[in-house]
Amino acid sequence: MAMDSSSTKPAIAHDISPYLIEYLDGTIERQGTERVPPGFDPRTRVTSKDIVITPETGVSARIYRPTVTSTANKKLPLVLYLHGGAFVIASPALPYYHNFCNSLVGSTNAVLVSVDYRRAPEHPLPAAFDDTWAAIQWVAAHAAGDGPEGWLNEEVVDYNRLFLAGDSAGATMVHHITSQIGGSGLDKRVSIEGIILIHPYFWGRDPVGSESTDPRREMVDRWWLYVCPSDKGCDDPLINPFADGCPGVDQVICERMLVLVADNDVLKDRGRLYYDAISKKREKGKVEFYVTQGKDHVFHIFDPGCDEAIELRRKLGGIQNRNIYY
């Protein structure tokens, strides 16, 4: 076996830094594998637990619920959350995401389901997309009050106030879910009140805006071609919402939408392009675009205490409380 001259490790097959390194012998070094257990969080007074969604694939989720579950007999909104990680790293149990979900649930008084979808390269795309579609079907199965998970069958959940939210790769999958609901029958069981795309991971072969001069463009190309080595490359409909074969923005079914980008993020112009296209299809006041100045991709996960992250969570709480504008 070929070996690196500087170490005893096998030679590198794929270097997808900073996320993952795959060696020729098939072993993988992956970032973002730390895990914290569910349970009661005294800081936010939120309780969480892990459950299995699809036994056949092992897909699971971490469910969060606030201590104060209802007020004046008012049911709580339900959030289906899809974490980021370029389809190769992270999970709901990663401390960054676990803490974010606790904070979000504690500040918005919502019930939240964070999906642990399968990751590449062990499970090549579209496995993650299939898993998130299975997750929304699983959630919808509780709308009649007889689903398998008791926390979601309780009277506190309002299935007419379902929100789909995600950051980075998770936001990409939120777009695909909401564009497939029409005609699937799910729209007869649940009502998607809003979708929230945080720093969506959209891409494409031809540069948009400042991408043409951004040195990070080659890196993003490399990441995507690793997780989805299709003949369509960076114009695969899984990553480019304007590519042939991708569900169009006019097929996205929801009452309201919030698209957030970060000013220093290489993906920011893709988020703006998406917002511009979808806002032409919707009534004024139904979609909002928000730019966080001076911050980079998913800063709110890595620096949750900064003023900008607090403001971002306030934005998320605003759309859930039917107050999209401030």
Side-chain angles (χ1 to χ4, degrees), residues 5-47:
S5 59
S6 59
S7 73
T8 59
K9 292 181 178 179
I12 293 174
H14 300 282
D15 186 348
I16 316 299
S17 298
Y19 301 124
L20 175 149
I21 296 176
E22 182 179 355
Y23 295 95
L24 284 176
D25 69 349
T27 59
I28 291 174
E29 287 185 2
R30 174 182 267 118
Q31 298 297 316
T33 59
E34 303 91 340
R35 299 181 67 89
V36 293
F40 178 70
D41 178 44
R43 178 179 60 89
T44 59
R45 298 191 60 78
V46 169
T47 303

Side-chain angles (χ1 to χ4, degrees), residues 234-249:
C234 292
D235 277 340
D236 191 285
L238 293 180
I239 195 67
N240 187 345
F242 303 104
D244 291 341
C246 184
V249 294

Side-chain angles (χ1 to χ4, degrees), residues 6-323:
S6 59
S7 73
T8 59
K9 292 181 178 179
I12 293 174
H14 300 282
D15 186 348
I16 316 299
S17 298
Y19 301 124
L20 175 149
I21 296 176
E22 182 179 355
Y23 295 95
L24 284 176
D25 69 349
T27 59
I28 291 174
E29 287 185 2
R30 174 182 267 118
Q31 298 297 316
T33 59
E34 303 91 340
R35 299 181 67 89
V36 293
F40 178 70
D41 178 44
R43 178 179 60 89
T44 59
R45 298 191 60 78
V46 169
T47 303
S48 59
K49 69 175 180 178
D50 292 337
I51 52 89
V52 175
I53 290 178
T54 311
E56 296 80 8
T57 60
V59 174
S60 63
R62 181 163 290 187
I63 305 180
Y64 299 78
R65 65 177 183 179
T67 296
V68 179
T69 55
S70 63
T71 58
N73 297 320
K74 182 180 179 181
K75 295 181 181 181
L76 301 183
L78 176 63
V79 180
L80 181 70
Y81 195 85
L82 306 178
H83 68 80
F87 300 103
V88 296
I89 65 169
S91 75
L94 184 68
Y96 291 120
Y97 278 108
H98 180 64
N99 293 336
F100 171 74
C101 289
N102 273 324
S103 295
L104 184 60
V105 170
S107 62
T108 62
N109 206 34
V111 177
L112 185 146
V113 177
S114 181
V115 181
D116 195 3
Y117 53 84
R118 291 171 294 173
R119 302 169 302 184
E122 296 91 340
H123 304 282
L125 296 183
F129 289 81
D130 295 340
D131 294 344
T132 55
W133 181 246
I136 185 64
Q137 292 178 302
W138 179 84
V139 165
H142 294 78
D146 57 355
E149 174 48 52
W151 278 20
L152 299 185
N153 285 329
E154 295 176 357
E155 291 301 316
V156 296
V157 174
D158 184 352
Y159 282 93
N160 290 316
R161 298 192 62 203
L162 174 61
F163 291 85
L164 305 185
D167 64 88
S168 194
T172 308
M173 291 188 287
V174 166
H175 162 74
H176 280 265
I177 288 176
T178 50
S179 60
Q180 294 177 61
I181 285 178
S184 69
L186 287 181
D187 54 333
K188 303 297 191 296
R189 290 187 279 168
V190 296
S191 176
I192 309 298
E193 180 166 334
I195 69 172
I196 302 168
L197 307 183
I198 308 171
H199 310 165
Y201 181 19
F202 295 138
W203 203 235
R205 182 185 62 185
D206 298 325
V208 171
S210 61
E211 289 173 13
S212 59
T213 58
D214 195 316
R216 294 173 293 180
R217 180 172 171 80
E218 183 276 333
M219 177 178 62
V220 180
D221 283 346
R222 182 162 47 88
W223 291 343
W224 175 252
L225 295 176
Y226 174 73
V227 300
C228 187
S230 75
D231 58 358
K232 296 180 180 179
C234 292
D235 277 340
D236 191 285
L238 293 180
I239 195 67
N240 187 345
F242 303 104
D244 291 341
C246 184
V249 294
D250 56 338
Q251 297 180 45
V252 174
I253 294 180
C254 65
E255 287 296 317
R256 294 176 295 137
M257 180 184 295
L258 177 60
V259 181
L260 304 103
V261 301
D263 184 50
N264 293 340
D265 188 357
V266 65
L267 304 175
K268 67 179 183 296
D269 292 320
R270 297 281 169 175
R272 179 78 204 204
L273 182 66
Y274 182 85
Y275 164 77
D276 288 343
I278 208 159
S279 61
K280 294 177 182 177
K281 307 287 185 179
R282 294 180 173 271
E283 299 176 18
K284 182 176 176 59
K286 295 293 187 178
V287 57
E288 182 185 7
F289 182 75
Y290 181 72
V291 183
T292 301
Q293 299 295 330
K295 291 295 184 178
D296 212 329
H297 194 64
V298 297
F299 71 91
H300 64 294
I301 296 295
F302 299 111
D303 189 11
C306 70
D307 291 342
E308 293 84 356
I310 294 171
E311 175 63 15
L312 185 147
R313 290 196 298 272
R314 194 170 74 90
K315 283 285 183 182
L316 305 190
I319 187 174
Q320 290 175 30
N321 292 306
R322 298 176 176 172
N323 181 27

